[in-house]
Amino acid sequence: MRVGPLLVGVRAETASLATALRSALGGSVVEGAQAPPNYSVRVEGRGRAARYLLYRATCLVLRTRSRERLAGALVACLRAHRGSSPLLRLRRTVVLSESGVLVLPSELFHRVEGVEGALREAGLRLAEPPFAVLDPESGVAVLEAEARCAPVRFWGLLRRERGRPVARSEALAEAIRQASRDVGVPGPRALLALARALSEAEVGPVWYEGGRALVERLVEAAASSGS
């Protein structure tokens, strides 16, 4: 079956935000569409303190400081529905290191974004949100923007107790819940890909830290996973 172009309508709380979204979505926008809003964007605060939130129905997909990053995440979500090249997508925050990929909870994105400059100085980079993308055959991370693959070196779960080990089965169970079901990857195939990704990765706890503590934790994770 051939899938036709994806057409979307845009509604926004401000004219400037609507203009930015229309520009990012280009020819996919249909003016006057009355379809119920599946994806929605909200703004918290004003000026330099503003935060942009992307929802799918009532589920928070992304919270970011950047309009451009939000628009890119919305485009990534819409493209995922096409199913032209089935890949396994999970709502996770991705940090790139020299040795591979650190996969973190999606709830930490805006905190990681807040220390992005310090991470660059430490040799780490924040990948564009909102997905960690895995090859459904090998389980390696697919960096679509860079047209390359990289191994998953660290997989973090939200845990307050830093000293308590995290079982791979816990990470696998959480990943299954976060996997997108829109992209045409059958359940057994997705499970196998996740198991392969986690078999090669260090699994460890991360928490709602910020600033220097978060940078140190990610540098530590990158160093231990690359050794």
Side-chain angles (χ1 to χ4, degrees), residues 54-184:
L54 174 63
Y55 287 88
R56 177 172 179 178
T58 59
C59 178
L60 179 63
V61 176
L62 179 69
R63 182 170 182 257
T64 177
R65 300 179 178 195
S66 166
R67 284 188 179 189
E68 291 75 17
R69 195 162 256 168
L70 178 138
L74 177 56
V75 170
C77 288
L78 296 175
R79 284 176 177 164
H81 292 284
R82 289 177 178 265
S84 57
S85 177
L87 294 168
L88 183 59
R89 288 177 166 82
L90 301 92
R91 291 198 322 274
R92 303 285 288 183
T93 298
V94 174
V95 173
L96 308 179
S97 71
E98 290 186 0
S99 63
V101 169
L102 314 181
V103 179
L104 308 172
S106 59
E107 296 90 340
L108 292 184
F109 180 85
H110 70 283
R111 293 177 182 264
V112 178
E113 187 180 49
V115 295
E116 198 167 0
L119 288 176
R120 288 198 197 98
E121 293 177 0
L124 304 177
R125 291 188 292 122
L126 177 59
E128 290 306 304
F131 298 119
V133 183
L134 302 181
D135 179 84
E137 301 298 334
S138 64
V140 300
V142 179
L143 308 177
E144 294 180 289
E146 302 178 19
R148 66 182 181 93
C149 296
V152 177
R153 296 300 191 190
F154 177 82
W155 197 290
L157 275 74
L158 281 174
R159 296 289 186 274
R160 186 186 293 273
E161 303 86 359
R162 287 280 297 274
R164 184 172 72 88
V166 177
R168 294 182 194 277
S169 58
E170 294 180 78
L172 180 59
E174 184 177 84
I176 292 170
R177 291 193 297 270
Q178 294 173 330
S180 172
R181 292 169 175 79
D182 299 324
V183 294

